Amino acid sequence: MKPRGETLVLNAESLTPEGSAWLIVEMVGRPGRPVEIGADPVLIGSDEGCKVVIDDPHVSRRHAEITRTPAGIVLRDLGSRNGTLVGRIAVKEVVLSSGTEIRIGKTILRFEMGGEAGRLGRLAHEPVRDEELAGAPTSFGSAIGSSAAMRRLFALLNRLAPTELTLTLVGETGTGKDVLAHAIHAASARAAHPFVVFDCGAVAPTLIESELFGHERGAFTGAVAARQGAFERAHGGTLFLDEIGELSIDLQPKLLRALEQRKIRRVGGSQDVPFDLRVIAATNRDLETEVAQGMFRQDLFFRLSAAVLRVPPLRERPEDLPGLVERFLVEGGRPLALAPETGEVLAAYEWPGNVRELKNVIAAAGALATGPTLAPKDLMFFRQQQKPAPKSSDTLPLSDSLPLAGQSLEAVERAAIEQTLRHCGGNRTRAAKALGIAASTLYEKIKKYGLGDD
């Protein structure tokens, strides 16, 4: 009987059943003991007859098993008393992927396949070492950040970008997930091939299947010609599935099937079309919670969880503000100096719209500035300050330093919309996204305030 406190470490990357696979049993105070996953199922439980025995009162006698199947290496719960958890989600059956953490009782399990797959799994889940962080760059593609959080993220992306791993970027709206996705593509072996963006939240539900998979002529009313979908257009390159959490639950099985079989079928078509591409996904939602609530399919969640990277919000890294402000001022053609008190006001703001909101605020401030220095009076925040700015002998009272104080909400809203439209060159779709509202809402407000041409 094995002592309590052991940890079973499993790493798996490949979804195919070929190749060597190992269950590494690590016990406290002892070197790890590998158990090979062969043709026979590996039974896990508290019974002495199991291949992997866990001495834990929370573990059933025959708790779970790992089996090779044509679809991949599958973990199955065998009707255990306390369940088998992957992440925080109780599962009945799941195809294992790289670095998946499994909890049985108080024991953590991982699965590892030999060769390149195991190496990629370790790349995705090994923490960034101190020496690696010390030498980490302060930029990745066009994304910049000198904070420890961003340098840690950049170090991970430098590891993972050259690989073929599916990456999922998780973070609040406006944190720059799309910028990072483009940089990952540019740093990969697929950089010379297409980078196709598919925004799952910006396409009408009735058109998503056609936009993703394409359609044949006559497939539906208005389909006057055959058309390639996002998968076909991204062949050879990278498909960026932005806001994947917005995808309809009805379409999620079709997306999963395409990702697993590496082929699609156009709407109205009868032939499968193979594709070769890498997938990067992004979401501002907690997908584990969505799975628990039945809003996101568990199997698709695990398929996208080979490497999940969190993009920190701007309020957690105020040290990145000066560099970002300088970048946005240069981009706007106004390389102004930043007054110390202006930096204090910027650092005091919560930035609910993150980097995207900062870019818009600086663009508006650059247009309002009358001297060589960006002053607090030039700042126009789209939302009310969440906390007071730090005190400074040179800082004006909030009502004097910020032009929004004392204005009506309608006046503030009108000014925000007007300046954002100007910054976006009149592009209403971009402006709506920058403001964090639906395009239809923006159209209504443009009409309300008389800002449009119609």
Side-chain angles (χ1 to χ4, degrees), residues 380-383 404 407-421 435 437 441-442 444-449 451:
M380 186 179 73
F381 296 102
F382 296 160
R383 301 186 189 180
L404 297 185
Q407 295 191 36
S408 69
L409 289 177
E410 284 197 352
V412 171
E413 184 176 66
R414 186 187 193 283
I417 292 171
E418 186 175 23
Q419 293 198 24
T420 303
L421 282 168
L435 291 165
I437 60 177
T441 302
L442 177 61
E444 292 174 1
K445 292 184 180 296
I446 288 173
K447 184 177 179 181
K448 174 182 177 181
Y449 296 124
L451 298 175

Side-chain angles (χ1 to χ4, degrees), residues 10 28 78 87 114 125 143 171 178 190 195 199 232 245 293 307 317 322 385 402:
L10 296 106
V28 177
L78 301 177
H125 295 89
D178 53 343
R190 297 179 179 269
F195 176 77
D199 190 336
E232 289 184 78
Q293 295 176 348
R317 46 188 181 99
Q385 285 278 56
L402 298 179

